[in-house]
Amino acid sequence: MEVVTIFGVFAVILVGIAATGIRIVPQAKVMVVERLGKFYKTASSGLNFLIPFVDSPRAIEMRTGNRFMRSNLVDLREQVMGFDTVQVITHDNVNMEVGSVIYYQIVEPAKALYQVENLALAIEQLTMTNLRNIMGGLTLDQTLTSRETVNTKLRMVLDEATEKWGVKVTRVELREIEPPQAIKAAMAKQMTAERERRAEVTKAEGDKAAAILQAEGEKISRILRAEAERDAEIARAEGHKRATMLQAEGKAEATRLVFEAIHNGRATPEVLALRYMETLQELGKGDNKMFVPYEATATLGAVASLKEVFTQTADTARPAAPAPARSAASLNSQGIARNVVVPEHATLPGGTPAVPPRRQQRPVQDAQDD
């Protein structure tokens, strides 16, 4: 009975020892296993068996927030490590407080354990020293306006330094930059002055643009007004031209109709001469006006023709009677009328002869004998 009990206790002890060798590693984590104090393997996620008292996990110190914690598992996920603000001096001797955040990932767990004693502390100190070096080469304005440049330089330096530790630095960000209070006040004044200057420049540009637009508007208005006046003058001139043409056409048509009427009516030269005289009388009406016909000889010939016509008409209408004694004045006027020479080429409008062909002149003595 005692032997069975001893074997049972021994079996329980063996099972307990074997159970201590069973290790379950979560996903995205690994375990660095040492055998007899020497690196043996890296246990991946899942079920793993270790030889009790021979194989043992190697602990790693990780930073969580502001605390450092030891763990047998190495996290392969990307880690975030934030640092408190540190004092830096810029190239133009301005003290500033700068805070940063670094993102890194362990890609080779064995190097992270065996190449550096405390990985989190080493990364923190390396980040602070390189941040001071980079910020010391920049001026105040460059540090405030070149954050992306600072981030890129710092990431490249940290990535190169942590490569032998099995760590990959993925990203570095400057969290905050705090210049001194005096510098803040000066920057506020500078910003206010700059904004006022921009406001004045913007206002001046607006006034300039408004003046230019107004001038262009006035220019276009004057051009349009001039074009409108020009078109109106052209329209009035065309209307006057059209009216004059219509009036001239009307006069021409009236003249043509009068000429046709005279031609169709077969007017005698005596009638045309009478109309000519009436026209001269109409033209000579008015005060202080004297009209001298251009063809005076033709007019005198017309008067002589009318006199002869009226004389012949009176002779045929009354019986023959002895001729009365004539005075010397009447004989002289008659002789003057008969002696008037009328040009044969004198014509009225339309080509009609102003007077009939002249008769042969008779001496005054012959007229007295009659």
Side-chain angles (χ1 to χ4, degrees), residues 5-20:
T5 303
I6 292 173
F7 277 107
V9 173
F10 185 72
V12 171
I13 293 173
L14 290 178
V15 171
I17 293 174
T20 57

Side-chain angles (χ1 to χ4, degrees), residues 35 76 82 89 117 127 140 208 223 255 285 310 315 329:
R35 177 167 291 182
L76 299 181
I89 300 176
E117 179 182 1
T127 302
L140 175 62
K208 175 183 176 182
I223 291 173
T255 304
K285 288 182 179 180
F310 290 146
D315 292 341

Side-chain angles (χ1 to χ4, degrees), residues 97-132:
E97 293 184 356
V98 181
S100 60
V101 179
I102 182 173
Y103 297 83
Y104 69 95
Q105 184 179 8
I106 299 176
V107 294
E108 296 183 14
K111 290 184 177 181
L113 288 171
Y114 296 109
Q115 296 294 330
V116 61
E117 179 182 1
N118 190 328
L119 179 62
L121 182 61
I123 293 176
E124 179 181 2
Q125 295 301 320
L126 183 63
T127 302
M128 290 183 179
T129 54
N130 284 278
L131 181 60
R132 288 191 180 96

Side-chain angles (χ1 to χ4, degrees), residues 34-285:
E34 294 180 347
R35 177 167 291 182
L36 299 178
K38 183 180 179 180
F39 173 73
Y40 172 61
K41 68 175 183 178
T42 301
S44 61
S45 58
L47 183 62
N48 294 275
F49 294 97
L50 302 180
I51 300 175
F53 306 110
V54 177
D55 296 337
S56 61
R58 176 66 182 266
I60 185 173
E61 190 171 1
M62 302 295 293
R63 179 175 176 174
T64 304
N66 293 327
R67 297 182 301 171
F68 292 93
M69 299 180 61
R70 297 181 63 86
S71 174
N72 294 329
L73 300 176
V74 179
D75 198 341
L76 299 181
R77 295 174 297 179
E78 189 173 4
Q79 304 294 318
V80 181
M81 185 181 298
F83 307 105
D84 296 333
T85 57
V86 294
Q87 291 286 337
V88 298
I89 300 176
T90 62
H91 185 70
D92 49 357
N93 298 324
V94 178
N95 292 325
M96 301 176 61
E97 293 184 356
V98 181
S100 60
V101 179
I102 182 173
Y103 297 83
Y104 69 95
Q105 184 179 8
I106 299 176
V107 294
E108 296 183 14
K111 290 184 177 181
L113 288 171
Y114 296 109
Q115 296 294 330
V116 61
E117 179 182 1
N118 190 328
L119 179 62
L121 182 61
I123 293 176
E124 179 181 2
Q125 295 301 320
L126 183 63
T127 302
M128 290 183 179
T129 54
N130 284 278
L131 181 60
R132 288 191 180 96
N133 293 334
I134 294 174
M135 298 295 286
L138 301 175
T139 61
L140 175 62
D141 293 337
Q142 291 176 344
T143 58
L144 296 176
T145 59
S146 305
R147 289 197 176 193
E148 187 65 27
T149 304
V150 175
N151 296 337
T152 303
K153 289 183 178 181
L154 187 58
R155 184 189 61 81
M156 294 176 61
V157 172
L158 293 178
D159 188 30
E160 183 180 357
T162 57
E163 183 179 3
K164 62 180 182 179
W165 299 341
V167 176
K168 175 67 176 177
V169 177
T170 58
R171 192 170 184 179
V172 178
E173 294 290 341
L174 295 181
R175 185 176 59 192
E176 57 186 353
I177 299 176
E178 291 292 336
Q181 191 64 31
I183 299 298
K184 286 184 178 180
M187 292 172 60
K189 293 180 180 179
Q190 181 182 2
M191 181 183 64
T192 303
E194 180 66 20
R195 291 186 180 276
E196 291 178 355
R197 184 187 66 81
R198 291 181 182 178
E200 292 295 333
V201 171
T202 303
K203 183 177 180 301
E205 291 178 353
D207 295 340
K208 175 183 176 182
I212 291 174
L213 291 177
Q214 185 176 2
E216 290 179 352
E218 293 179 356
K219 175 183 176 182
I220 295 174
S221 176
R222 291 181 180 178
I223 291 173
L224 294 178
R225 191 180 299 110
E227 291 179 353
E229 293 177 357
R230 181 197 63 189
D231 295 341
E233 291 294 334
I234 292 174
R236 283 195 293 268
E238 290 180 353
H240 181 69
K241 173 184 176 183
R242 183 62 180 171
T244 304
M245 292 177 62
L246 292 176
Q247 186 177 4
E249 290 177 357
K251 290 181 179 180
E253 183 67 20
T255 304
R256 185 182 63 80
L257 293 176
V258 171
F259 178 77
E260 289 180 356
I262 293 174
H263 183 71
N264 294 332
R266 299 182 181 277
T268 61
E270 291 78 6
V271 175
L272 296 178
L274 181 61
R275 292 295 300 168
Y276 183 70
M277 294 298 297
E278 292 177 354
T279 305
L280 292 179
Q281 292 178 1
E282 292 293 332
L283 293 175
K285 288 182 179 180

Side-chain angles (χ1 to χ4, degrees), residues 23-31 43-48 73-74:
R23 299 296 179 91
I24 298 176
V25 179
Q27 181 67 31
K29 292 185 178 182
V30 295
M31 180 185 294
S44 61
S45 58
L47 183 62
N48 294 275
L73 300 176
V74 179

